[in-house]
Structure formats: C-alpha cells, structure tokens
C-alpha cells in the first residue's frame, strides 16, 4: 500500500514537471544549436538498433505468415505484403522506435542529468540564475521528439524492404506487384495517425528521462539507479501511451 502511494505521488510530480517542461521545450525549438547535438546523438545511437529491428521484423513476419496463408488455399498469400505493411506501419515500427529511444536514450538522459545533479552542476546553474529547464531539459525533449519519427521511418522502410527481398528469394513477385499489394488496403487516415504517435513517444521519453535524472540523489549509486529507473519508466509509459493513443485514434476515426 505504501509503495502504491509513493508511486502515485511520484507520478503526480512527473505530471507537474511535464506541465512546466513541455512549454519550455517549445521555446527551445528555435535554438537549433542546443538541440541538434542531442538529436544527432539519439538518431545515430539508435541507427544500428533500428536497422536490425527493421530487418528482423520484415523477415520474421514473412516467415511466420507466408506458409500459414498459403495453406488456406484461397489465394490469401497475395495479401501478405498488405499484412506486413499494416503490421509494420500501424504498430510495430512506431512502437519499436519508441522502445529503442526509451531503452537507449532514457538511460542516457537519466544518467547524464543525475551525474550533473550529484556533482552540483545543476545547483551551480540555479545559483547563476540559469534555468535548468531551459538550458538542459528543453533541448533534450525537442531532440527526442524529432528523433523517434526518424527512427520510425527507418524501421518501416527496412522492414518492408527486407520483406520484399525475402519474397523475391523464395517467391515469384515483382517490386511493382509487391508495392501495389503493400498499399492496397492502407489509407492515409490509418498510417498518418500511427506515425504521429512517435512524436508523443519522444515527448514521453524526454520528459521522463529528464525528470528522473534531475531528481537523483545519493551520489554515484543514485546515478546508476536513475539510469535503471529511467529505462523502466520510459518503456512502461511508451507502452501505456500507445494503448491510450490507439484507443483515441480509433474513437476519433468513428466520428469522421
């Protein structure tokens, strides 16, 4: 019971922090020099994971579903590119990008800001009248918000490309047929909202990682705990927000 109350209180402080940090991050956008470096770090750091994730998704989905669809004997295997594109574009690529940034950048944000907290660098900024939210938090949130969509596009393109290569090796299709089948049943009103989820994932990771890092204590042990807690919290929140956003998207589409 005590742990539940503690976690609820911490979540409330996270929400209060987000209400201050998000407007600050909006003012950080014009200052390109402050957020381009962390943006580059997030994208380049997540690049290998995104490529491997995309390759694995395309090949594994194709391997799991082609034989099953072929056994139906109804020509359903022709819809394999459509199934692959829907699974990747609507859910797997956005969530994969969000989890990559949550795991890698979440830990980095927590450890970096925690180290600055325990070495009193943040206290020094406050003493000089410099806002840590404006100098440290805002640029990192902007970097995460823009980095996750980039990784999402990379994962989706790699997954669809690897699926086509797998089909080309063992099947009998052309790029034109594959491309036509992949987009046959997909609409912009399905794909665009799914892609826009990644902006929210980046916001969640940036805010959560910065919050945990700024509230670190207990010296070097606190830095390690902040990195671990940041990864766990970012991953859980990305998954929870995904469920919430999918529900909102589906509810909104019913009224259109």
């Amino acid at each position: 019971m005590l742990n539940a109350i503690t976690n609820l209180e911490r979540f409330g402080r996270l929400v209060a922090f987000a209400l201050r940090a998000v407007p600050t991050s909006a003012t950080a956008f014009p200052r390109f020099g402050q957020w381009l470096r962390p943006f580059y770090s997030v994208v380049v750091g997540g690049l290998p994971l995104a490529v491997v994730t995309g390759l694995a998704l395309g090949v594994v989905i194709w391997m799991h579903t082609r034989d099953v669809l072929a056994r139906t004997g109804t020509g359903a295997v022709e819809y394999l590119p459509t199934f692959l594109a829907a699974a990747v574009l609507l859910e797997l690529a956005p969530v994969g990008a969000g989890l990559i940034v949550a795991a890698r950048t979440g830990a980095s944000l927590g450890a970096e800001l925690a180290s600055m907290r325990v070495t009193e660098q943040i206290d020094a900024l406050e003493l000089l009248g410099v806002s840590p939210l404006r100098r440290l938090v805002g640029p990192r949130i902007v970097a995460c918000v823009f980095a996750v969509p980039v990784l999402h596009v990379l994962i989706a393109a790699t997954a669809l490309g690897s699926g086509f290569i797998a089909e080309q090796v063992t099947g009998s299709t052309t790029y034109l047929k594959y491309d036509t089948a992949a987009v046959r049943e997909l609409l912009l009103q399905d794909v665009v909202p799914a892609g826009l989820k990644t902006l929210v994932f980046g916001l969640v990771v940036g805010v959560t990682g910065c919050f945990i890092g700024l509230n670190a204590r207990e010296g070097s042990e606190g830095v390690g705990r902040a990195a671990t807690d940041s990864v766990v919290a970012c991953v859980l929140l990305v998954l929870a927000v995904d469920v919430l956003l999918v529900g909102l998207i589906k509810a909104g589409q019913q009224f259109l």
Side-chain angles (χ1 to χ4, degrees), residues 114 118 216-224:
V118 300
R217 293 292 185 273
E218 301 176 9
S220 58
E221 182 181 351
V223 175

Side-chain angles (χ1 to χ4, degrees), residues 75 78-80 82 85 177-187:
E78 297 180 1
Y79 287 89
L80 177 57
T82 305
K177 290 173 59 177
Y178 182 86
D179 183 63
T180 302
V183 299
R184 179 183 299 164
E185 303 296 337
L186 293 179
L187 303 175

Side-chain angles (χ1 to χ4, degrees), residues 54-175:
L55 290 173
L57 286 177
V59 174
V60 168
I61 292 176
W62 178 89
M63 292 174 62
H64 274 305
T65 56
R66 193 178 197 282
D67 292 340
V68 174
L69 295 176
R71 284 198 296 267
T72 63
T74 60
V77 71
E78 297 180 1
Y79 287 89
L80 177 57
T82 305
F83 175 81
L84 174 62
V88 168
L89 294 176
L90 301 185
E91 185 61 22
L92 296 179
V95 172
L99 292 179
I100 287 173
V101 176
R104 187 186 181 281
T105 306
S108 176
L109 289 176
E112 183 181 10
L113 294 181
S115 178
M116 298 180 70
R117 170 63 75 183
V118 300
T119 57
E120 300 182 349
Q121 296 180 53
I122 293 177
D123 295 333
L125 286 177
E126 294 174 342
L127 186 62
L128 293 173
V130 178
S131 171
L133 285 178
R134 181 178 176 86
R135 178 62 63 85
L136 302 176
V137 175
R140 285 165 172 79
I141 293 177
V142 173
C144 291
V145 168
F146 288 114
V148 180
V150 174
L151 295 178
H152 159 240
V153 172
L154 180 61
I155 291 174
T158 307
L160 295 177
S162 64
F164 169 72
I165 293 173
E167 180 67 21
Q168 188 75 3
V169 170
T170 59
S172 57
T173 186
T174 64
Y175 176 78

